[in-house]
């Protein structure tokens, strides 16, 4: 790992902390797809999961280590509590990577020591030191996080950091676990660490923070000014509770305001060289992929990647931008890869044209995935004259999302209107291959469809979010439906894209139900084997 103090290391934790967002659970293939895109984006470290927590997480980390963790690829990291079994699992999972890291953590705040760990400061000091030394027996690249550092006594924190660095930690990560700290306090905390931990020059200072007060990105930028050189962040800022610091916001802030940040990194104020290794043109695509696969939609006014982020509504602004972009734009939409929505393909485009364009858009599909994508492309091209890049992306993301294939939607038919009672008929194929038909009436067509599907699938659930977004403008636009369901306090998401939003709604619901149903079956299986 580079220790070049002139560059900021981007540590992406979308697949670990990001996946802790309620309802964002990803399966192994989806994680692999995201990891490949993160590598294209140019992140330095991918925290691919928490190996000890589940066999799925272990397998995903291992697969990512094998395929994405190449010699010139990113470092692949697994989280581990400061416990031998956790560390051993992390070491095993990252083994296939050319560059692997174990990230171990232990809380240091008095609140956590008293109520969660029930340990004294002395005990925490020696466990931290011992577990870092243990992790070091597997690999050189060790990160240690004093959990809840933002609320820890700084004097105790200095002692912990000195001990873990002595034991072999090469990165010390300072988490604001509960999103409590303010920017100037965080800056002062990092400065205090630099000034008071005697061996701090042997480790990289990293920061990790949550957005409970909406301050995570501001906190990180203040930390950079005071010596932090690794930023732990997620795509679209997803993560536990209010989420993590958003990668795209950090990277673009450091890029757009590089003249301001350059001197803090010991560079010439006018240096044009990038402060991170990120290829910013991959940002928009990565954001869409993560949003599609996690089912976590991006709010329209979200900085950098929201659909309104580059839209000028007011006449005065539009007039100014037409005269000179600099009047109201601090960055180009193209710099995040938001190209003009080119019309590129149509009904007569062949398989090769689709394959080539997908490749240009950065999709590496297997033959089987390409076949499925091409069938969808043809279906849509029959209904919609012009297929744009965004349409193509929506269709492919739809095909590569891997909700378990338990129930299949064979048919959905709806009748509704101003004087009619919305009525839906559905035909589903169940996991045993039987065709089941049912019908229902509802308050609207989607309600009727969902009621009919529920009669067949018969698993109680509560719909907590339903959103439809048009992929492009125009009457024949593809609609993307994202839904989230709640069952026994867990959230399951599903999405689908189609020119017919009723079909997309039905398919998105089936995708979410399949995830829910898969989890119920797994639970039953575990109960039987226990
Ligand atoms: O928020 C937190 O403290 C974490 C640690 C495990 C780094 O996610
Ligand atoms: Zn966290």
């Amino acid at each position: 790992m580079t220790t070049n103090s002139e560059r900021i290391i981007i540590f992406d934790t979308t697949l670990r902390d990001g996946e802790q967002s309620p309802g964002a659970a990803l399966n192994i293939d989806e994680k692999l797809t995201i990891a490949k895109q993160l590598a294209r984006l140019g992140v330095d470290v991918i925290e691919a999961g928490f190996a000890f927590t589940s066999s799925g997480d272990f397998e995903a980390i291992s697969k990512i280590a094998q395929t994405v963790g190449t010699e010139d690829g990113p470092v692949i990291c697994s989280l581990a509590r400061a416990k031998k079994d956790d560390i051993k699992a992390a070491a095993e999972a990252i083994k296939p990577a050319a560059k692997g890291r174990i990230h171990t953590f232990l809380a240091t705040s008095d609140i956590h020591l008293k109520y969660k760990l029930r340990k004294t400061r002395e005990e925490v000091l020696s466990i931290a030191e011992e577990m870092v030394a243990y992790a070091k027996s597997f690999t050189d690249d060790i990160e240690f996080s004093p959990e809840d550092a933002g609320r820890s006594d700084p004097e105790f924190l200095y002692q912990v950091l000195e001990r873990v660095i002595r034991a072999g930690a090469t990165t010390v990560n300072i988490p604001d676990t509960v999103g409590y700290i303010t920017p100037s306090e965080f800056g002062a905390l990092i400065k205090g660490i630099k000034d008071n931990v005697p061996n701090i020059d042997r480790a990289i200072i990293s920061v990790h923070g949550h957005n409970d007060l909406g301050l995570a990105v501001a906190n990180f930028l203040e930390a950079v000014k005071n010596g932090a050189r690794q930023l732990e962040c997620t795509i679209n800022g997803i993560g536990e509770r209010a989420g993590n610091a958003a990668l795209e916001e950090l990277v673009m802030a450091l890029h757009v305001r590089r003249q301001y940040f350059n001197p803090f990194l010991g560079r010439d104020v006018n240096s044009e060289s990038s402060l991170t290794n990120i290829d910013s043109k991959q940002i928009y695509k990565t954001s869409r992929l993560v949003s599609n696969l996690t089912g976590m939609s991006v709010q329209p006014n979200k900085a950098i990647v929201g659909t309104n982020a580059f839209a000028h509504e007011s006449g005065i602004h539009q007039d100014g931008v037409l005269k000179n972009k600099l009047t109201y734009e601090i960055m180009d939409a193209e710099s995040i890869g938001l190209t003009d929505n080119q019309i590129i393909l149509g009904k007569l485009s062949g398989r090769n044209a689709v394959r080539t364009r997908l490749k240009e858009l950065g999709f590496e599909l297997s033959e089987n995935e390409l076949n499925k994508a091409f069938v969808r492309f043809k279906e849509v091209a029959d209904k919609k004259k012009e297929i744009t890049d965004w349409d193509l992306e929506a269709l492919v993301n739809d095909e590569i999302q891997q909700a378990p294939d338990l129930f299949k939607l064979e048919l959905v038919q709806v009748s509704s209107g101003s004087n009619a009672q919305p009525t839906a008929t559905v035909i589903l194929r169940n996991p045993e291959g039987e065709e089941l038909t049912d019908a229902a009436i509802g308050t609207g067509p989607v309600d009727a469809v969902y009621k009919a599907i529920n009669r067949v699938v018969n698993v109680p659930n509560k719909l907590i979010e339903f959103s439809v977004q048009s992929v492009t403008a125009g009457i024949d636009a593809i609609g993307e439906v994202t839904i989230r369901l709640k069952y026994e306090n867990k959230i399951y998401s599903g999405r689908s894209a189609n020119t017919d939003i009723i079909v997309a709604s039905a398919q998105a619901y089936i995708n979410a139900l399949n995830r829910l149903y898969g989890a119920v079956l797994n639970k039953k299986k575990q109960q039987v084997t226990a």
Side-chain angles (χ1 to χ4, degrees):
M1 175 92 293
T2 173
T3 52
N4 179 357
S5 63
E6 283 198 5
R7 248 187 225 263
I8 303 290
I9 297 161
I10 298 294
F11 175 115
D12 181 279
T13 183
T14 305
L15 296 175
R16 199 277 297 168
D17 211 321
E19 211 221 2
Q20 286 173 220
S21 314
L26 296 159
N27 65 31
I28 295 171
D29 289 328
E30 289 167 338
K31 285 185 184 176
L32 191 59
T33 304
I34 291 177
K36 285 181 182 168
Q37 180 55 29
L38 290 173
R40 265 180 235 121
L41 177 66
V43 306
D44 302 286
V45 186
I46 294 178
E47 187 164 54
F50 194 160
F52 188 74
T53 54
S54 73
S55 55
D57 247 37
F58 183 95
E59 213 185 307
I61 300 167
S62 233
K63 236 177 173 171
I64 291 168
Q66 217 169 50
T67 17
V68 184
T70 55
E71 199 57 58
D72 53 357
V75 173
I76 308 298
C77 170
S78 169
L79 187 66
R81 286 172 299 179
K83 292 178 181 230
K84 279 195 168 171
D85 286 347
D86 268 52
I87 292 170
K88 220 195 273 176
E92 199 56 38
I94 60 165
K95 221 185 218 167
K99 292 168 285 176
R101 173 180 299 185
I102 298 173
H103 174 193
T104 186
F105 71 99
L106 185 63
T108 49
S109 68
D110 288 336
I111 299 175
H112 278 232
L113 262 61
K114 183 170 174 195
Y115 298 107
K116 189 181 85 172
L117 299 178
R118 300 208 166 98
K119 296 212 181 301
T120 63
R121 287 185 174 190
E122 261 322 305
E123 285 171 315
V124 164
L125 270 172
S126 65
I127 296 169
E129 185 172 22
E130 197 192 326
M131 288 304 113
V132 166
Y134 181 65
K136 198 78 178 174
S137 67
F138 296 102
T139 177
D140 269 347
D141 191 348
I142 305 298
E143 174 167 330
F144 176 80
S145 288
E147 192 191 8
D148 204 17
R151 292 189 301 171
S152 299
D153 170 8
E155 294 300 328
F156 179 53
L157 198 57
Y158 303 152
Q159 288 176 34
V160 174
L161 296 179
E162 184 185 356
R163 293 271 283 266
V164 296
I165 294 171
R166 205 191 310 149
T170 41
T171 299
V172 286
N173 179 45
I174 311 303
D176 176 24
T177 303
V178 291
Y180 177 73
I181 214 160
T182 64
S184 55
E185 287 172 322
F186 207 34
L189 179 61
I190 302 302
K191 183 172 178 336
I193 290 169
K194 274 205 88 123
D195 292 346
N196 293 290
V197 178
N199 51 2
I200 195 67
D201 55 329
R202 285 166 42 197
I204 290 168
I205 302 178
S206 166
V207 284
H208 178 108
H210 286 267
N211 216 17
D212 300 66
L213 296 174
L215 296 173
V217 168
N219 286 341
F220 279 29
L221 295 176
E222 216 44 41
V224 166
K225 286 164 61 181
N226 286 282
R229 291 296 175 264
Q230 175 179 283
L231 307 181
E232 299 202 355
C233 43
T234 60
I235 302 296
N236 302 335
I238 63 170
E240 187 82 36
R241 303 184 311 279
N244 288 70
L247 179 147
E248 61 279 3
E249 294 175 22
L250 289 165
V251 167
M252 292 314 285
L254 290 170
H255 178 67
V256 171
R257 300 302 313 277
R258 56 192 178 281
Q259 289 194 338
Y260 173 74
F261 287 103
N262 275 337
F264 294 106
L265 281 94
R267 302 165 159 226
D268 185 89
V269 65
N270 290 317
S271 167
E272 282 297 320
S273 80
S274 183
L275 282 154
T276 68
N277 283 325
I278 296 295
D279 173 2
S280 67
K281 286 200 157 43
Q282 294 287 333
I283 285 179
Y284 188 69
K285 182 174 180 338
T286 316
S287 160
R288 299 264 310 162
L289 180 71
V290 169
S291 165
N292 285 333
L293 295 186
T294 57
M296 306 269 299
S297 10
V298 173
Q299 79 205 49
N301 60 324
K302 162 86 178 61
I304 318 292
V305 289
T307 45
N308 291 353
F310 292 92
H312 299 277
E313 184 70 13
S314 124
I316 297 172
H317 288 209
Q318 287 173 352
D319 179 56
V321 169
L322 285 175
K323 287 176 174 146
N324 188 326
K325 276 188 174 189
L326 289 175
T327 51
Y328 287 102
E329 279 189 9
I330 59 165
M331 60 194 149
D332 271 348
E334 292 86 58
S335 64
I336 63 151
L338 199 56
T339 49
D340 276 348
N341 189 23
Q342 289 165 286
I343 293 160
I344 39 121
L345 298 170
K347 199 170 153 174
L348 299 177
S349 308
R351 206 180 130 84
N352 213 16
V354 174
R355 182 210 302 269
T356 308
R357 188 60 194 156
L358 283 171
K359 210 160 176 205
E360 282 162 7
L361 290 171
F363 288 100
E364 281 172 35
L365 300 188
S366 68
E367 222 29 48
N368 189 27
E369 284 169 335
L370 179 69
N371 288 344
K372 286 208 255 171
F374 189 62
V375 171
R376 285 295 306 279
F377 166 80
K378 280 291 183 195
E379 277 168 18
V380 175
D382 272 340
K383 296 181 193 145
K384 188 177 190 299
K385 244 176 45 209
E386 298 156 337
I387 309 285
T388 66
D389 286 349
W390 294 359
D391 291 329
L392 209 52
E393 264 181 13
L395 296 179
V396 173
N397 285 335
D398 214 23
E399 281 311 315
I400 59 179
Q401 89 171 314
Q402 314 252 347
D405 230 0
L406 296 165
F407 284 91
K408 277 203 182 86
L409 180 69
E410 299 288 346
L411 174 137
V412 54
Q413 203 167 306
V414 170
S415 92
S416 69
S418 54
N419 287 322
Q421 173 88 65
T423 310
T425 306
V426 296
I427 303 180
L428 305 186
R429 198 170 287 284
N430 70 11
E432 290 73 43
E434 296 158 335
E435 221 175 65
L436 304 166
T437 306
D438 221 316
I441 53 173
T443 51
V446 174
D447 185 47
V449 169
Y450 285 13
K451 282 187 172 135
I453 292 175
N454 274 334
R455 289 167 69 101
V456 176
V457 177
N458 204 16
V459 180
N461 67 83
K462 189 163 186 256
L463 183 67
I464 56 166
E465 191 186 311
F466 172 87
S467 76
V468 189
Q469 236 183 332
S470 147
V471 173
T472 51
I475 197 74
D476 61 353
I478 290 180
E480 274 181 337
V481 176
T482 306
I483 68 153
R484 285 147 73 77
L485 305 176
K486 200 167 186 180
Y487 171 73
E488 287 185 346
N489 270 337
K490 277 203 84 178
I491 295 172
Y492 300 87
S493 65
R495 69 167 291 284
S496 187
N498 201 294
T499 46
D500 183 324
I501 58 162
I502 300 294
V503 178
S505 304
Q507 190 57 60
Y509 195 49
I510 293 286
N511 289 345
L513 280 175
N514 276 339
R515 286 175 193 260
L516 189 167
Y517 198 75
V520 171
L521 289 182
N522 268 345
K523 203 168 156 190
K524 275 194 187 145
K525 233 188 271 167
Q526 278 163 4
Q527 279 163 353
V528 171
T529 48

